[in-house]
Structures are given as C-alpha cells and as structure tokens.
Amino acid sequence: MMHLVHGAATDVGLTRTQNEDSYVAGGGLYAVCDGMGGARAGEVASDSACRHLLSLVDGSGRDEDLVDAVQAANRDVLNQSRRDPALKGMGSTLTAALWEGRDLLIGHVGDSRAYLFRDDRLEQLTEDHSVVGEMERDGRLTPAEAERHPYRSILTRAVGTEDRVEADIRRIAAQPGDRLLLCTDGLTGMLDDEDISRILEEGVSPAATAESLVAAALEGGGEDNITVVVLDVVEEEGGDRGGGDEAGVEVGPDERIAPSRALGGDPPGAERVLGPREGSDSGEALGTAGEKRVSRSGAADWIRGRVRLAIVSALLVLLLALGVFAVINSSVYFVGTSGGKVALYRGMPYAVVGVELYSVEEVGARRYEELDGETREEIDAHDLTTKEDGQRLIRDLSNGE
Ligand code: CA
C-alpha cells in the first residue's frame, strides 16, 4: 500500500511586501493558491480558495467532489468581492492534488502548476490558463518570448472572477518513487524546468526539497511570492510513518491563518488525525473528466456534439457580450501598457475565451521601456485601482516622476 509524505514552503520573495499565496497540505489534500487584487484582497482570495478545499479531506474523493469544491470556492470569493468594495475584482489561482490511495486527482485553474517527477523526468501536468500560455500553446509565442511578455500575468481563468469557473481535472495513477510538485508562478518565473529537475532529483526529504526550491527561486531574484508543496509517493513500512500525513492538515502561510476561520466546523489542526482512506470505490475505471469527453466515437455522436457545441458557443458569446458590457461599464480600473505606453484600463485584467474584459481609458505619455524594473513590476502586476489613483500614477509617470 502506498502513502504520501509531504513538505511545504512559502516565502514573500524579495520585491513584494505581502505574501498573496496560500497553501494546504495534509490529510490527503494538497493545494497552492495565488491570489490577486488590490491591497490585501489577494491574500483573502487565495486563503478562501484554499480553505474551501478542506471539505475534501473527509470526502469520497470523486472527481465531482473536487469540481464542487472548486465551484464553492469560486462562489465564495466572488460573493466576498461583490460585498466588500475593498475586495472588488479579486481572484485566485488554484492547483490541487487529492490523494486516493492509488491515484492522485489533480484540479487546476490559473497559472500555478502541478509537475510529476518520475524516472528522473519532469512532466508538467497542468496547462497555464493565461493569455501568454494560450499564445504559447498556439505557437504564437516561443517559450523565451512568453517568459518576458508584458501580459504574462493576465489569466484567462481564475477562481472568483466569474459566476462559474471550469477546473481542469485529471487523474494520475501513482507509482512508488513518484514525486509531485505543486507551485505558484513565483517559482516557475525564477527557475526553468532544468533547475527544478536538478533540485527534485537530489532525493532529500519533501520538506528539505520544498525549502531548496524556495531558496533557489530567491537566489534567482525572488520577484514574486513563492509557494511549493512537494509530495513523495512511498510504500508503506509498518505502522509508524512519522512525518507522514497523519499529523493533520497544514495551512499556510502560518502567520495569517486564524483556525477559527476554517470552514466546515473543525479547525484543521493537529487534533484532526487523518489516515489514508480505505475501500475507496472511485478507482481507475472512472478515468478522468477529459478522457470521458474525448472517448466518444461515431459520426452521429460527432454531429450531435458539433450541434451542441455550436449552441453552447452562441450562448457563451451572448453571455460574454453582456459580461464585457457590464465590466467595461463598471468602476474597476488597472494600469497596463498600450502601444508601448503606460495606460489606464477600465475593466478587469482578464480575457475570457479570447474576449478582453477591459478597454483603454487613457494613454499616458511615458513609454514602458523607459521605466525602471520596479515600476515595470508594479505595472505588470495589473493590480486593481480606482480611476483617480490610476490617473495620478499615469500623470506622475508622464511627468517623469
Ligand atoms: Ca504569483
């Protein structure tokens, strides 16, 4: 029988003042979430998203449960951002792994990543839901171009920005010796796959590996918050597995977690002793959601599928048009670039199914290339702002301040 041993680490990095990442690890549930939004909204978003997954700790471990938990997280983050003006427009990535004794169920929204390290080979299990990620997959950008692209932080999917969010779900049949890595883009922005592989193959404990990965990202510049969860699949060796996952659920970063805020009643503390679930009936026969969708065959099915797709697409376009209209007419703003110049945008820094949820409000005189690294970082973050603050920033930059 296999079980997991985990290690987790997070760091604010060297240029940010707040850590907007969150993670959970233990009890068969592992996740990293990377929040975005003005002021402290990013922290609230990622913390809420991660905490909603805690309901899965005692669950049946079915694909549907993970999908439901992501939807619940989505509704909660969205409701909070609608209720509280300070949290308006916040959102979070979410990359989770749920352990089922044999399988790892991966759920994913946004540009955090899951990697599998097996037989000394690193495989990225998730696709980045970002404008740049999509352009790279379409062959419109090379990986090198994508790395420095000014829109690299614009997500095409996030938890808490729309009424529903689609999570990518996939199931991995675990093997002893497998190493799984969940991480936010603060790691992958600083380290390439080779750097990551080199650290994963050192073979030290998951906790020491997590610390090494974070240390390497800091050495590489630490331009963003860095959060990693490392999981080792090991064969069981008798009863005592000290340091294993029965110790409870770890939720981080520690300093901002109040146990009373935990969802579902029980605080996720050491008193919550969790063992591997036995007799799970959701084995390999279920397959992944993705497999089910593509396994149909036959012309009739194909035509039915196309007609359904056309209807759904038409409805989506209509909904999107309404959504774009609503967002563009809202009072949310962010600063970005237009034609190489610093510009104020009305709307949210997301593009959904290729439709931009923002429009240019005002273009400043200052060119993006002339700015120092720190100011570029500030602009690339696309933090939400008020119209007045955004205009002030553009004016100050245009006046060379
Ligand atoms: Ca980040």
Side-chain angles (χ1 to χ4, degrees):
M1 192 178 165
M2 294 178 283
H3 76 280
L4 291 187
V5 180
H6 79 263
T10 187
D11 197 284
V12 67
L14 301 174
T15 61
R16 303 285 168 105
T17 53
Q18 292 160 21
N19 192 344
E20 297 188 321
D21 289 353
S22 294
Y23 70 89
V24 288
L29 170 73
Y30 311 87
V32 296
C33 296
D34 178 353
M36 67 210 86
R40 304 195 85 82
E43 292 177 19
V44 174
S46 70
D47 187 46
S48 301
C50 262
R51 275 167 191 288
H52 262 282
L53 299 175
L54 292 172
S55 63
L56 295 167
V57 167
D58 296 318
S60 65
R62 294 176 309 147
D63 295 20
E64 293 81 355
D65 294 341
L66 183 52
V67 170
D68 289 348
V70 175
Q71 291 305 343
N74 185 66
R75 272 193 306 276
D76 179 47
V77 174
L78 187 61
N79 286 339
Q80 288 187 69
S81 81
R82 281 177 176 160
R83 269 198 309 269
D84 185 345
L87 302 178
K88 196 165 184 176
M90 71 176 177
S92 180
T93 72
L94 183 159
T95 302
L98 195 58
W99 175 240
E100 310 224 338
R102 288 184 297 195
D103 293 349
L104 281 156
L105 194 57
I106 309 292
H108 168 67
V109 176
D111 68 351
S112 299
R113 290 179 183 172
Y115 286 94
L116 175 66
F117 190 66
R118 175 182 285 174
D119 301 330
D120 293 330
R121 261 199 56 241
L122 188 69
E123 181 195 354
Q124 189 177 330
L125 298 175
T126 50
E127 287 187 337
D128 293 348
H129 299 144
S130 63
V131 172
V132 167
E134 285 180 5
M135 288 168 82
E136 203 182 329
R137 282 196 290 283
D138 292 349
R140 283 182 284 159
L141 284 181
T142 65
E145 286 167 338
E147 225 167 82
R148 292 279 85 183
H149 198 280
Y151 289 171
R152 66 189 178 281
S153 57
I154 297 187
L155 299 184
T156 48
R157 274 193 238 174
V159 171
T161 56
E162 294 163 78
D163 284 320
R164 283 193 71 77
V165 65
E166 190 195 342
D168 289 346
I169 305 283
R170 65 183 288 185
R171 192 176 278 269
I172 307 292
Q175 296 174 9
D178 280 352
R179 203 155 231 212
L180 198 83
L181 168 66
L182 307 179
C183 59
T184 59
D185 67 340
L187 183 82
T188 48
M190 295 292 109
L191 303 182
D192 59 23
D193 285 5
E194 251 171 67
D195 301 326
I196 293 172
S197 293
R198 210 174 304 124
I199 295 169
L200 291 178
E201 76 191 358
E202 281 169 8
V204 294
S205 73
T209 304
E211 295 293 346
S212 297
L213 286 166
V214 168
L218 288 171
E219 235 166 78
E223 287 171 17
D224 194 0
N225 309 143
I226 311 147
T227 301
V228 301
V229 174
V230 178
L231 301 171
D232 275 2
V233 178
V234 297
E235 286 285 6
E236 191 172 31
E237 298 162 4
D240 182 12
R241 300 173 220 138
D245 282 336
E246 294 72 49
V249 185
E250 190 185 331
V251 189
D254 296 334
E255 67 271 23
R256 83 168 110 94
I257 302 302
S260 60
R261 282 196 53 214
L263 299 166
D266 297 336
E271 71 274 18
R272 188 165 190 173
V273 176
L274 298 152
R277 279 183 296 279
E278 280 169 29
S280 168
D281 58 359
S282 51
E284 289 131 346
L286 195 55
T288 68
E291 276 164 8
K292 265 188 283 183
R293 238 176 282 144
V294 295
S295 65
R296 291 172 156 267
S297 58
D301 273 353
W302 186 82
I303 291 166
R304 264 199 296 277
R306 296 300 295 206
V307 170
R308 215 174 297 140
L309 189 68
I311 294 170
V312 169
S313 304
L315 282 172
L316 257 178
V317 167
L318 185 68
L319 277 174
L320 264 173
L322 290 171
V324 169
F325 184 77
V327 168
I328 287 177
N329 282 284
S330 72
S331 54
V332 184
Y333 294 82
F334 66 95
V335 174
T337 55
S338 176
K341 288 180 174 163
V342 178
L344 181 66
Y345 285 82
R346 185 201 283 256
M348 287 199 280
Y350 307 113
V352 181
V353 205
V355 179
E356 295 159 349
L357 297 185
Y358 47 82
S359 63
V360 176
E361 178 79 11
E362 183 181 328
V363 181
R366 194 64 182 273
R367 297 199 67 78
Y368 178 81
E369 295 122 56
E370 296 165 4
L371 303 174
D372 60 62
E374 199 178 320
T375 313
R376 284 188 193 191
E377 279 289 322
E378 194 185 333
I379 286 164
D380 291 345
H382 299 302
D383 282 339
L384 295 178
T385 178
T386 63
K387 187 176 184 178
E388 292 70 33
D389 287 351
Q391 284 175 327
R392 195 172 313 126
L393 178 65
I394 286 179
R395 221 169 293 136
D396 290 350
L397 289 174
S398 299
N399 295 335
E401 286 168 39

